[in-house]
């Protein structure tokens, strides 16, 4: 797919003047009152090929009927008492967690079979919740190296996480963490370089569930926005992108639809690279259409986008689907008015504007510190609104009210939904450096779940008129604490600590005998003993003449920390 040619974001160059050969002659008598520029929204009205000034009147299009699929706001039971953990579990459900645990255990078994040397015991629900609590804690308390969290010397003498999980156990879980089934991964890899190959297969189990949960538990308000989001990574993988205009320049690109009012991430997809588009309009068009599932979302929404997405073809098709739209536009877009008659002068004063209505769309040029070009299917040209700007007059800076088009004012107010979500994620992001690309997405999906949970919490507090609310930081602190309590509550009762101790086999000690493990290793294959180690479950001689029990354990110095693999 070909992306749009780069153009100005807000500042646009003035089109070169061309001689007009087909324009009608000017009237003999100049009218005394401003000329009306009203035209039908569908583009059926008569339109002049000229830019109009601020004093000329425009007809605002009829307001779209707002018909959301559900009542805007949280879709959960507002009468229920929701804690940070129960809100988080809407996104990381029990089935999702169980899938991750099973696939992590399967991956650990595969790694051990391949010869990896590390201690592993099966991952259970309590351990996984403790693991996630430590990850959230790492977003609140930052250190240079992950190992510093377990140091006992000042200034790293944290009581948490070392009191709840050893460093080796945490690292073992992190090394083995896997979202998809390893056996299915191999089947997918065999399809590489074919149409059946899925580049996102390793994140699909969590990816699809998070997207579904984001849409299920919140209904956006009337204004929504779409923008790109970069997930930082420098991994050597073809999905990694470079975007020079983004704060995060290297990483994975996501296209995100967010609620403009709250910043709630409602829908998103991961961009995997160029592919053939069935629409024939390119990435900027298809990405918007893919993020607007009309059956799940409803219609009547007003969408705000930047100049990467804005095109007359997109806005007209959205209007036919009962979606309004507004955004900055590049002047080299197909369908942008090319006339320069009565165009905005190059050295205009701040607040000057020109507008033209063409094919049911409003195009506006407005002078701020530089020229701003807008396109809208829902706004009138100018209704007298102003914006406050700092202006230097006679060597003194002062605030001044500058006339501004309605489209500019609403765009500045509603375009920042994705930016708001990105900001909340970045404040306490749990992301860590990793060489595995799918673990980067695990961290990001965890961030999305926490931020969306916090937004749901705030919206629920508003419906109950609760005056005191937790801050984002306090919400994360309480979430980590509740995860630990949940882990302790779901853990089985602790069994007595088993140590290495010689024990007789049950029954008649003279008849219940097994071959001594150490004697067998030294070549004496016929020595039997009734004694075994109760922890290691290894048969060993234990007599005044032959103490294989002591000799065998002396050769395995780590026997007190792990079960002997014999």
């Amino acid at each position: 797919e070909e992306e749009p040619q780069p153009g100005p974001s807000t500042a646009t160059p003035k089109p070169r003047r061309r001689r007009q050969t087909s324009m009608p002659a000017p009237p003999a008598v100049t009218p005394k009152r401003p000329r009306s520029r009203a035209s039908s929204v569908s583009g059926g009205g008569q339109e002049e090929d000229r830019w109009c000034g601020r004093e000329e009147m425009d007809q605002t299009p009829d307001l779209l009927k707002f018909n959301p699929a559900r009542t805007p706001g949280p879709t959960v039971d507002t009468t229920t008492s929701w804690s940070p953990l129960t809100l988080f579990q809407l996104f990381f459900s029990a089935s999702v967690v169980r899938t991750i645990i099973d696939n992590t255990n399967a991956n650990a078994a595969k790694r051990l079979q391949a010869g990896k040397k590390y201690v592993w015991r099966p991952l259970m629900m309590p351990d996984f919740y403790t693991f996630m609590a430590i990850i959230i804690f790492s977003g609140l308390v930052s250190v240079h190296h992950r190992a510093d969290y377990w140091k006992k010397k000042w200034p790293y003498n944290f009581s948490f996480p070392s009191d709840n999980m050893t460093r080796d156990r945490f690292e073992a879980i992190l090394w083995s963490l896997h979202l998809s089934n390893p056996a299915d991964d191999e089947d997918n890899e065999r399809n590489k370089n074919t149409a059946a190959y899925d580049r996102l297969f390793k994140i699909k189990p969590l990816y699809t569930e998070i997207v579904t949960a984001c849409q299920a538990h919140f209904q956006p308000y009337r204004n929504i926005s779409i923008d790109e989001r970069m997930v930082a990574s420098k991994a050597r993988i073809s999905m990694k992108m470079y975007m020079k205009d983004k704060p995060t320049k290297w990483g994975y690109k996501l296209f995100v639809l967010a609620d403009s009012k709250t910043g709630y991430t409602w829908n998103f997809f991961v961009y995997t690279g160029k592919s053939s588009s069935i629409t024939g309009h390119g990435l900027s068009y298809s990405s918007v259409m893919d993020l607007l599932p009309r059956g799940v979302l409803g219609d009547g929404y007003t969408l705000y986008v930047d100049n990467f997405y804005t095109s007359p073809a997109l806005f007209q098709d959205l209007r036919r689907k009962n979606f309004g739209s507004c955004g900055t536009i590049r002047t080299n877009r197909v369908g942008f008015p090319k006339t320069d008659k009565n165009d905005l002068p190059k050295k205009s004063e701040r607040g000057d504007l020109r507008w033209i209505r063409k094919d049911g769309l409003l195009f506006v040029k407005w002078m701020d510190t530089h020229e701003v070009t807008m396109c809208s299917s829902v706004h009138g040209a100018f209704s007298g609104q102003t914006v406050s700007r700092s202006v230097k007059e006679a060597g003194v800076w002062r605030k001044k009210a500058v006339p501004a088009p309605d489209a500019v004012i609403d765009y500045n107010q509603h375009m920042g939904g994705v930016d708001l979500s990105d900001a909340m994620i970045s404040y306490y992001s749990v992301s860590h450096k990793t060489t595995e690309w799918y673990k980067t997405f695990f961290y990001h999906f965890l961030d999305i779940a926490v931020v969306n949970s916090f937004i749901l919490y705030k919206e629920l507090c508003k419906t109950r008129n609760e005056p005191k609310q937790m801050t984002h930081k306090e919400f994360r602190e309480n979430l980590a604490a509740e995860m630990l309590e949940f882990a302790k509550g779901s853990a089985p009762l602790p069994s007595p600590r088993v140590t290495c101790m010689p024990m007789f086999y049950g029954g008649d000690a003279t008849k219940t005998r097994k071959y001594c493990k150490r004697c067998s290793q030294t070549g004496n294959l016929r020595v039997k003993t009734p004694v075994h180690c109760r922890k290691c479950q290894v048969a060993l001689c234990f007599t005044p003449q032959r103490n294989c029990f002591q000799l065998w354990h002396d050769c395995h110095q780590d026997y007190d920390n792990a079960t002997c693999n014999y």
Side-chain angles (χ1 to χ4, degrees), residues 3 21 58 90 156 169-171 240 246 290 300 304-305 386 420 449 475-476 481 486-487 500 559:
E3 295 190 4
T21 58
D58 180 34
L90 294 175
Y156 305 109
R169 178 59 170 165
F170 179 86
E171 293 293 345
K240 184 182 65 177
K246 290 289 185 180
D290 291 343
Y304 292 86
V305 292
T386 61
L420 177 58
F475 183 89
R476 285 181 178 259
F486 180 82
C500 290
Y559 72 93

Side-chain angles (χ1 to χ4, degrees), residues 18-130:
R18 298 186 299 273
R19 180 177 297 175
Q20 302 295 322
T21 58
S22 59
M23 293 298 296
V29 180
T30 303
K32 295 182 180 180
R33 57 182 298 178
R35 191 179 313 176
S36 174
R37 289 286 299 163
S39 62
S40 67
V41 174
S42 62
Q46 185 178 1
E47 299 173 346
E48 300 178 23
D49 191 16
R50 64 182 291 272
W51 290 97
C52 301
R54 186 172 61 207
E55 70 283 354
E56 298 181 80
M57 297 179 61
D58 180 34
Q59 181 179 351
T60 303
D62 295 334
L63 186 67
L64 294 174
K65 182 180 179 182
F66 186 42
N67 187 30
R70 298 164 297 181
T71 303
T75 59
V76 298
D77 185 0
T78 57
T79 61
T80 303
S81 178
W82 293 91
S83 67
L85 178 59
T86 54
L87 289 171
F88 174 82
Q89 288 173 330
L90 294 175
F91 303 91
F92 270 68
S93 63
S95 61
V96 170
V97 171
R98 174 50 56 191
T99 299
I100 296 174
I101 290 174
D102 291 343
N103 291 335
T104 299
N105 283 324
N107 188 50
K110 178 181 176 182
R111 287 163 59 88
L112 290 170
Q113 188 176 7
K116 298 293 183 181
K117 300 294 184 181
Y118 65 98
V119 178
W120 177 259
R121 65 175 184 272
L123 180 63
M124 305 297 287
M125 187 79 71
D127 275 352
F128 187 72
Y129 267 91
T130 304

Side-chain angles (χ1 to χ4, degrees), residues 361-473:
L361 300 178
L362 173 72
F363 299 88
V364 179
K365 292 183 177 182
W366 176 64
M367 181 58 70
D368 194 14
T369 54
H370 50 262
E371 186 179 287
V372 178
T373 52
M374 302 288 299
C375 180
S376 174
S377 66
V378 294
H379 291 97
F382 181 68
S383 63
Q385 297 191 75
T386 61
V387 292
S388 179
R389 293 289 187 267
S390 296
V391 179
K392 191 174 185 179
E393 294 181 352
V396 179
W397 288 96
R398 65 184 183 86
K399 293 289 185 180
K400 182 180 179 180
V402 176
D406 296 359
V408 169
I409 291 176
D410 285 351
Y411 177 86
N412 288 337
Q413 181 178 357
H414 302 302
M415 178 55 201
V418 178
D419 290 339
L420 177 58
S421 177
D422 290 348
M424 287 192 286
I425 287 175
S426 66
Y427 291 153
Y428 308 104
S429 176
V430 302
S431 180
H432 292 277
K433 291 181 180 179
T434 176
T435 57
E436 302 288 353
W437 67 272
Y438 58 88
K439 292 180 184 178
T440 300
F441 279 105
F442 171 79
Y443 290 133
H444 186 65
F445 294 157
L446 188 61
D447 274 328
I448 290 177
V450 175
V451 169
N452 277 0
S453 301
F454 175 62
I455 293 172
L456 287 179
Y457 162 77
K458 290 200 302 180
E459 292 300 302
L460 289 169
C461 288
K462 290 179 183 178
T463 60
R464 300 169 184 165
N465 295 320
E466 295 182 6
K468 188 175 180 180
Q469 301 179 16
M470 286 186 284
T471 63
H472 186 191
K473 178 172 175 288

Side-chain angles (χ1 to χ4, degrees), residues 286-303:
S286 61
S287 59
V288 171
M289 291 302 184
D290 291 343
L291 289 170
L292 290 173
R294 191 174 179 183
V296 182
L297 183 62
D299 52 34
Y301 284 88
T302 301
L303 173 67

Side-chain angles (χ1 to χ4, degrees), residues 265-311:
T265 299
W266 191 80
N267 194 12
F268 64 92
F269 70 87
V270 180
Y271 179 58
T272 57
K274 293 183 178 180
S275 60
S276 57
S277 172
I278 60 174
T279 64
H281 289 283
L283 177 63
S284 61
Y285 181 99
S286 61
S287 59
V288 171
M289 291 302 184
D290 291 343
L291 289 170
L292 290 173
R294 191 174 179 183
V296 182
L297 183 62
D299 52 34
Y301 284 88
T302 301
L303 173 67
Y304 292 86
V305 292
D306 64 20
N307 60 20
F308 172 78
Y309 307 92
T310 304
S311 68

